[in-house]
Amino acid sequence: MPDFDGKWLREASKAEKIFEECHKKGTVLVAYHVNLSTTVPLQEDQVKLALTHLYRKVPCLRVCFGEREGTLWFREATNKNVDFKVLPETEVNEVMACLKSYQYNSDTGPLWCARLVADTSSGQCEQTTSMVDNTSTGHSGQASPHIPDDNLVSLPHSYHLFLGFHHGIIDGFSAIKICGFTATLLNDVITGKPINDDQLGEFVSCKETMELVLAKKALIKGDPLLMKKWTDEANLRKDKELFFSRIYQKPEGTEENCLALERQLDTTTTRKFLNKCRAERVTVHSAFTALADAALVELLAEKGVVQDTYNIYNYHAVSTRRYWKGDVSKSLGCHVSIIRMYTDTPRNINEIFWDFARSVHQELQSKLTSGTALEEEAFDLLKSELKDTLKFVADSPTSFVSPDYYTTNMGDVTALVTEEDNVRVTCIMRSVSNRNTMCTCSHIFHTFRGRFLHLLDYNTRFMSTEIAENFCNKIFDNLSKVIE
């Protein structure tokens, strides 16, 4: 297996540097909650051995940071020990909160950790006929229950596996792949199957993305109209007031926190939602964005912010791998950018919902196809806005304007987590902390094993639990209505 020799690998990218700054402030950290069902009770040494193999076989997990000639670089981790603990079931609802503010050792690694909690209550969970609605108002979010499944009779033992990551080493694609690797390696350990030294993927730099960004930069620089377009949009952001700031002011003296609310649709409701989206010729992402806009409009009107049209500002995470050439299935690391959108949302949106959803779909698809996210990065380079971007983690940034909400959608991730004979992943929920940032809230969603799973990470600087619950309730109430 590869040695942990601390050798220098490459300079960190702009995004990776930003995520390390965020990590220092205990924010923008990634936490995954994986429900496992197994044929036999798990032993601590089995799980630790599987995670040790994971550490050795996944290159992006085997890195740390170091400063080289005044610049932040990646190097091989020198700490060979897996950061793993088995915790009592009484602590299950606190783990996500811990991982979302965890301090990793950036100088030695590892920049990830794992926690295991046995689940003795899974047999008591009952599925509703239309929608599983797990709403949490706690700091960490209540642990996701196992959903009953007739195919799991032969896997009677249930566990919560929590994986925490420094965002600088992974994005959603990499983390989901790691969840799948973990299940496979755990299955191999249980069966006694020999595990080789082959690497599971590659820790890829952003070189290919930067080549595309630099080409966009030259394009903008040589086109005065295109430069004016991006300059005007940047100026527009400076004048944008957050809608959530208009309906909520955090009480003085209260601690700022990142809380979470969770929703899970059952298979029947998920299937109806997916089929309706296909029939209306929109993606699930576009439909959900339209539902979030509709819910925000309703919420604002109830709070006295009444307008004919609401200009809603949102960010959509996008993997830059989509713009690369060749096979990207083994390309691990952090390769994420954003698409910014301003959506003029009418007060009567619910009366024209699918027409509105189609307009959102058309704009999103146009931006995805044209590589708008790359153009935005190119414009940032032209304006030398790295220092302004780093103000994202400051207490009171003046030049960074947050959107009304973020979205991060992985689509159907079932195929990325293979089924094993002795280990079955039954649910995956993901979360990213946003405390001590100017982020209002993030809609994090994907489909897994036929169920649509959603988590709202919300920053108590901008949203109370009451508003967050109301926001989510409206989204899913409207979802039930528009799929009938």
Side-chain angles (χ1 to χ4, degrees):
M1 290 185 180
D3 292 328
F4 291 63
D5 60 8
K7 68 181 179 184
W8 295 104
L9 299 174
R10 61 171 174 83
E11 183 179 348
S13 69
K14 171 184 171 181
E16 291 160 346
K17 291 173 181 176
I18 290 171
F19 287 136
E20 169 59 2
E21 288 297 314
C22 292
H23 164 246
K24 290 177 182 177
K25 296 179 181 292
T27 191
V28 196
L29 295 160
V30 180
Y32 273 58
H33 179 186
V34 182
N35 290 127
L36 299 175
S37 290
T38 61
T39 54
V40 297
L42 293 179
Q43 303 299 317
E44 181 175 352
D45 59 346
Q46 291 178 318
V47 181
K48 186 171 183 179
L49 179 57
L51 293 172
T52 299
H53 285 299
L54 183 76
Y55 196 13
R56 298 280 187 168
K57 290 172 69 68
V58 181
C60 66
L61 297 182
R62 211 169 51 251
V63 299
C64 63
F65 289 102
E67 192 166 305
R68 192 179 191 188
E69 298 178 355
T71 302
L72 192 68
W73 273 58
F74 278 112
R75 59 179 182 172
E76 280 282 348
T78 56
N79 182 2
K80 301 180 181 181
N81 298 318
V82 173
D83 186 348
F84 169 62
K85 294 179 183 178
V86 176
L87 300 176
E89 193 168 10
T90 53
E91 296 185 26
V92 68
N93 290 328
E94 306 303 320
V95 183
M96 289 289 273
C98 175
L99 299 188
K100 286 158 66 173
S101 60
Y102 200 68
Q103 284 294 304
Y104 300 98
N105 190 326
S106 297
D107 297 327
T108 66
L111 299 182
W112 65 284
C113 65
R115 302 290 183 262
L116 185 73
V117 181
D119 179 11
T120 61
S121 63
S122 59
Q124 301 173 8
C125 175
E126 296 184 358
Q127 187 172 3
T128 62
T129 57
S130 62
M131 184 185 296
V132 176
D133 184 0
N134 301 319
T135 303
S136 163
T137 58
H139 180 83
S140 61
Q142 295 174 357
S144 307
H146 286 265
I147 305 302
D149 186 335
D150 292 339
N151 296 323
L152 297 177
V153 174
S154 61
L155 292 89
H157 305 281
S158 300
Y159 298 88
H160 302 279
L161 176 66
F162 298 91
L163 297 171
F165 303 98
H166 186 302
H167 207 337
I169 66 170
I170 58 96
D171 53 16
F173 173 80
S174 300
I176 288 286
K177 294 275 283 189
I178 289 168
C179 291
F181 298 153
T182 304
T184 299
L185 289 169
L186 186 54
N187 184 76
D188 291 346
V189 168
I190 291 172
T191 61
K193 178 181 176 180
I195 298 174
N196 60 35
D197 295 343
D198 293 347
Q199 296 295 285
L200 300 173
E202 302 171 352
F203 182 47
V204 180
S205 75
C206 67
K207 178 182 177 182
E208 195 161 353
T209 297
M210 281 309 301
E211 289 175 352
L212 296 168
V213 169
L214 291 174
K216 294 282 189 182
K217 178 183 174 183
L219 184 67
I220 296 172
K221 193 173 182 179
D223 187 336
L225 291 178
L226 195 54
M227 175 67 84
K228 183 178 185 303
K229 169 201 166 188
W230 286 111
T231 302
D232 289 346
E233 187 164 317
N235 290 333
L236 179 64
R237 290 198 295 273
K238 293 178 181 178
D239 298 327
K240 180 72 171 69
E241 181 182 9
L242 287 174
F243 279 120
F244 286 110
S245 295
R246 295 177 65 179
I247 60 176
Y248 173 71
Q249 292 293 321
K250 182 175 72 73
E252 291 186 10
T254 58
E255 180 184 1
E256 179 182 334
N257 228 328
C258 172
L259 304 185
L261 299 176
E262 186 178 311
R263 296 291 195 281
Q264 301 185 17
L265 298 187
D266 63 24
T267 54
T268 300
T269 310
T270 299
R271 187 164 51 250
K272 290 176 68 174
F273 182 35
L274 298 181
N275 288 341
K276 184 65 173 177
C277 289
R278 292 189 191 101
E280 297 291 344
R281 305 185 305 282
V282 302
T283 60
V284 168
H285 187 100
S286 299
F288 187 88
T289 300
L291 285 166
D293 286 351
L296 182 53
V297 166
E298 285 187 53
L299 183 61
L300 290 167
E302 288 180 1
K303 297 292 185 178
V305 182
V306 179
Q307 301 174 190
D308 291 334
T309 303
Y310 299 80
N311 184 246
I312 297 175
Y313 179 34
N314 43 55
Y315 280 5
H316 303 269
V318 57
S319 170
T320 55
R321 294 175 186 81
R322 67 166 47 240
Y323 303 111
W324 297 359
K325 297 177 182 177
D327 180 17
V328 298
S329 61
K330 294 185 177 181
S331 300
L332 304 179
C334 181
H335 302 286
V336 64
S337 189
I338 55 171
I339 290 175
R340 299 182 178 104
M341 277 184 58
Y342 296 87
T343 308
D344 286 328
T345 309
R347 178 71 184 90
N348 68 334
I349 179 176
N350 287 326
E351 299 173 16
I352 56 169
F353 178 78
W354 287 110
D355 287 335
F356 178 79
R358 275 186 286 275
S359 70
V360 171
H361 171 80
Q362 290 168 2
E363 183 173 359
L364 271 172
Q365 291 304 305
S366 174
K367 288 178 179 290
L368 280 171
T369 303
S370 65
T372 297
L374 302 176
E375 276 195 22
E376 297 203 26
E377 289 199 27
F379 180 74
D380 284 348
L381 282 179
L382 280 170
K383 304 304 290 184
S384 302
E385 290 183 349
L386 176 58
K387 290 183 179 179
D388 289 341
T389 306
L390 290 176
K391 289 183 180 180
F392 176 81
V393 294
D395 286 337
S396 301
T398 57
S399 58
F400 182 88
V401 180
S402 178
D404 293 302
Y405 64 83
Y406 288 73
T407 71
T408 167
N409 171 29
M410 287 288 294
D412 190 338
V413 300
T414 308
L416 298 178
V417 185
T418 57
E419 294 190 1
E420 305 293 343
D421 293 335
N422 295 284
V423 179
R424 182 78 51 80
V425 176
T426 60
C427 185
I428 301 174
M429 298 301 297
R430 52 202 180 96
S431 181
V432 183
S433 55
N434 56 25
R435 58 189 290 270
N436 297 329
T437 73
M438 291 301 291
C439 175
T440 51
C441 63
S442 299
H443 293 286
I444 300 176
F445 54 98
H446 56 265
T447 304
F448 183 66
R449 292 176 60 84
R451 289 182 288 123
F452 181 81
L453 309 175
H454 169 268
L455 184 141
L456 178 76
D457 278 314
Y458 64 100
N459 186 341
T460 58
R461 178 191 295 193
F462 301 104
M463 298 179 71
S464 65
T465 293
E466 177 188 3
I467 290 175
E469 288 178 339
N470 202 355
F471 189 27
C472 280
N473 287 341
K474 290 181 184 303
I475 289 172
F476 285 91
D477 286 347
N478 287 335
L479 187 151
S480 296
K481 293 174 184 176
V482 300
I483 64 176
E484 294 300 332

